[in-house]
Amino acid sequence: MAAKDAVALDVGARHVDVAPDHADFWTRGVGEAPQSPAGALAPRRSSAGFRHLLFSADERHDHETLNLADIERLDALRDKIRHRGIERRAFSYWGSVKGTVTLDVLRSPFFALSFGVYAATVAGFAHPAGVEDRTLYMTVLTVLGAFLSFASIFLNKETYQRFRASYEASTASQSAIFECATVSRLGLRDLAGRTVVRFLCAAYLAAFAGLRDSHYDVEQVLLPFVQRHGLLTEREWALLSRRGGFAATGDRYRELLAWAVGVAQRERNDGRCDPEDAKRIVKPILRLRASLAVGYHRLGQPMPFVYVHLVRILTTCYLPVFAFVLARLGSRNPAVHTLACVAICITCFFFLGINTVSVKLADPYGHDIDDLRIIAHCSAMPGACRAILTTGLEEETARALWQEASTSPFDDPVAYFSSSLSAAGAAGSPTRRPAPARPP
């Protein structure tokens, strides 16, 4: 037996240590992983081009299917945007165009319509409005702008809360898987521990494939992911496919979680797992199910359409009115025209930008560059869990801890602690603080 294997057994581990880059680590001794379609691991969609200026990411991907490599490249772009936000680089190319609302606002027809209304008003009226009309114009502009600002910001706040809840649910899923892997490290046999954790890692992405199968295609994303990491055997994949498949349903990820619970319960019933350890394994699995269900709850009941429609109608009406009022109030001086155009541009960026942000945040599971990095979250789990399941104490540390301690408190707890208390009393050191006197 190798030295590192001996150390693992010395500390009571039931797992056999393997190299962290072992290709068939997860399904070793169980079966072979299913084969993914050819070309699923090679990017095929360009991230540049003129069409990227004309259409947003979600609009482009409504008519095309991205494979696993395409989404991984998209996650890399999202990571760059995230670092630009951390570093506050607001005036670089990445900070002013990529990952912002700039292109979305410029693509909006109401952006061009506002300037068209301004130009038509200036051409149609040779002179500005009279003094008696200015009060009416200013009142209309102020009232509409105040109501629209409040409604837009409130909508953006509500959608951000949904975005934040979705992100926290994804990270909570990672925490649950890590917790289960940590307890399985010593609480289950090697094969049982690997089986439980690989079911959880597979269920993590399977939940999003069932949630948004149009964006996380089963054949182009989920199957290559499972095959790359070896999370399911070919027979297991075939069984799940026969029971209804993964697309447009959450049944398969819940079934994988039920498999994991069944493995822990069987190990407990057969006496190979302590009941407390089995309870600690099942608890994070159920918490993982609750976290993955958040996306289904959020998309099942999006923001009420009546409120979203109200904000869109107000925005549609306000921007042309704003341009018309500026044209009627301002003089025909070229400097005034320049200032008015800047004001129209800023106003469009504010209201159209707020609306665009609310749309992006309302559905964080798409292919927009501002959506959640779901594949990055899922891809981090197999390697991290494998590191947990193959860890062991360093040889000298293990020897210092367990060879010097000839008596274990778990062999005979009463005798062990009694002898410890006697030794401490003979040395003249108090073993515990005296209980406080009760008041009369």
Side-chain angles (χ1 to χ4, degrees), residues 38-61:
L41 301 180
R44 58 186 182 183
R45 301 297 180 186
S46 173
S47 60
F50 185 68
R51 63 193 297 265
H52 286 246
L53 299 178
L54 298 179
F55 304 99
S56 65
D58 281 332
E59 291 174 341
R60 295 193 308 272
H61 300 148

Side-chain angles (χ1 to χ4, degrees), residues 6 8 12 98 125 157 195 242 253 274 283 321 332 374 378:
K98 282 286 188 178
F125 296 88
K157 176 185 177 183
T195 301
R242 288 196 304 269
Y253 94 84
D274 186 87
K283 185 176 180 180
V321 170
R332 299 303 179 255
I374 297 299
C378 296

Side-chain angles (χ1 to χ4, degrees), residues 215-235:
H215 292 77
Y216 300 97
D217 185 76
V218 176
E219 297 295 328
Q220 297 295 329
V221 178
L222 178 59
L223 181 56
F225 179 86
V226 169
Q227 187 271 335
R228 171 190 290 178
H229 298 284
L231 299 179
L232 296 175
T233 65
E234 188 172 0
R235 290 179 177 271

Side-chain angles (χ1 to χ4, degrees), residues 75-90 92 94-95 98 373:
D75 279 349
L77 294 178
R78 291 168 177 163
D79 194 54
K80 291 182 180 180
I81 299 297
R82 183 172 61 91
H83 282 286
R84 291 305 186 274
I86 296 174
E87 299 165 2
R88 298 295 188 271
R89 295 185 181 180
S92 64
W94 284 96
K98 282 286 188 178
R373 299 178 300 126

